[in-house]
Amino acid sequence: MCTWLSQQVEAQGAARGVSDWMKVTAINVMYDHPVSAPYDHALLLDFVDPAQGVGARVGIELSATSARELVRAIEAALASTEAVNDLEQQAHI
Amino acid sequence: MKDALLAEFVGFPGHNSDVIEGYLARPVTDAPVPGMVLLHHAPGLDPWCKEVVRRFATEGYACVAPHLYHRRGPGHWADVAAAGRAAGLAESMPNQQVMGDIAGAAAYLRAQPGSNGKVGVIGFCSGGRQAFLAACDVPELDAAVDCWGGSILPQPPVDGRPASNGVIGRAPDMAMPLLGLFGNDDSNPDVAQVDEIDRVLTELGKDHTFFRYDGAGHAFFVTDKPVYRLEQALEGWQRVFQFLDRTLKGAD
């Protein structure tokens, strides 16, 4: 299945990336003081692989509004007709 | 020359003799200078904290900020801090470990050739609470500054976070002058909590001075975040250096 359905949400925040693909084995989520995004508090998302050390991390800091928009877009992507059909066929995912 | 300083990363033995990293800035001068241990806030040893370390050097203090998340590394400070924050405060910065790191930083500063023998501590946010505790548990220090340290008093459980006993129970052993700066719009510590900390220290006869600022919340010194409050921060810094000049430099 190829949905070709992409949503772009406007966002305010900051990100810290890695140079190439990395395995992600956990996501740390917290609402707290950000390091780089210019807010007193932000939604902090760290996609990590702790077994590979602390540098195996994609860190995202989003304003609360951007984080809610992201949640909405994720939910919308998963609720698209093709996604729902696909998920029904792959109930194990 | 007031603004001449040297800044670098250094290593020194902390708790359990673990060698930990710190960011050091010291004034270029022949005169003996006091030392300051700076405790970073929860995001870690970030650019603002390093800027404050250099600020201390321009004011005539050799200042070192131990990287309190150091043991989660090696790695970029932001990744190391992120790993520490994900593990939670109790695991990444247990009180006993932090007190050992502070004692190590104080010994390091005192061992420098230009030291006048006096060392203080200042901490922000979680570091404020740690500075309060250091005033009780690290007698090698001569003065302590708590900037809006939260959770000094016992805290109830919230969501998934367990209850904490705070550190106020250690106050009977406070052995040095304490300066506290607080924003009246802060929620941890809020006005009633600062009142209570003040009451306990007063009852115990502890040398403490609190300055409390209207129109300011948590972290109002932090220049790269919206919470920065220019007027209150300028006045607060003046109070900090008046206090430290008196307690560590012997100024009137």
Side-chain angles (χ1 to χ4, degrees), chain A residues 16 28 30 32-40 44 46 54-55 57, chain B residues 43 72 74 76-80 82-83 85-86 125 218 225-227:
Chain A
R16 176 170 163 72
N28 299 321
M30 72 193 313
D32 206 325
H33 303 299
V35 171
S36 182
Y39 307 110
D40 298 327
L44 314 182
D46 284 333
V54 297
R57 163 180 175 255
Chain B
R72 314 296 300 188
H76 185 284
W77 66 266
D79 295 332
V80 174
R85 297 173 84 182
C125 185
H218 200 71
K225 294 290 185 284
V227 76

Side-chain angles (χ1 to χ4, degrees), chain A residues 9 18 21 24 30-31 36 38-39 50 59 67 74 83 88-89 92-93:
Chain A
V9 298
V18 294
W21 287 99
V24 171
M30 72 193 313
Y31 182 72
S36 182
Y39 307 110
I74 291 171
E88 279 174 3
Q89 290 166 27
H92 62 282
I93 294 181

Side-chain angles (χ1 to χ4, degrees), chain B residues 23-27 34-38 52-53 56-57 61-65 109:
Chain B
Y23 182 67
L24 171 79
R26 57 190 169 86
M36 280 300 293
V37 181
L38 184 146
V52 175
V53 170
F56 271 101
Y61 296 82
C63 181
V64 68
L109 288 167

Side-chain angles (χ1 to χ4, degrees), chain B residues 162-234:
Chain B
S164 87
N165 295 326
V167 294
I168 194 73
R170 299 290 305 124
D173 283 346
M174 189 173 284
M176 65 200 67
L178 175 78
L179 175 71
L181 300 182
F182 305 97
N184 289 333
D185 296 338
D186 201 340
S187 58
N188 186 7
D190 64 20
V191 167
Q193 290 168 339
V194 178
D195 285 345
E196 175 61 10
I197 297 165
D198 188 22
R199 186 194 67 75
V200 171
L201 294 178
T202 302
E203 242 178 53
L204 291 168
K206 298 299 176 184
D207 180 352
H208 71 289
T209 311
F210 285 0
F211 292 97
R212 306 168 66 169
Y213 294 91
D214 286 331
H218 200 71
F220 62 94
F221 277 17
V222 178
T223 46
D224 62 356
K225 294 290 185 284
V227 76
Y228 180 59
R229 293 292 177 270
L230 174 70
E231 194 181 323
Q232 295 88 337
L234 289 176

Side-chain angles (χ1 to χ4, degrees), chain A residues 12-66:
Chain A
Q12 286 81 42
R16 176 170 163 72
V18 294
S19 61
D20 205 343
W21 287 99
M22 57 168 266
K23 193 160 88 172
V24 171
T25 61
I27 306 170
N28 299 321
V29 183
M30 72 193 313
Y31 182 72
D32 206 325
H33 303 299
V35 171
S36 182
Y39 307 110
D40 298 327
H41 298 92
L43 196 285
L44 314 182
L45 289 167
D46 284 333
F47 297 81
V48 298
D49 180 5
Q52 296 305 312
V54 297
R57 163 180 175 255
V58 173
I60 314 279
E61 301 177 343
L62 294 174
S63 71
T65 304
S66 299

Side-chain angles (χ1 to χ4, degrees), chain B residues 151 154-164 188 193:
Chain B
S151 305
Q155 301 294 312
V158 179
D159 300 327
R161 196 175 62 209
S164 87
N188 186 7
Q193 290 168 339

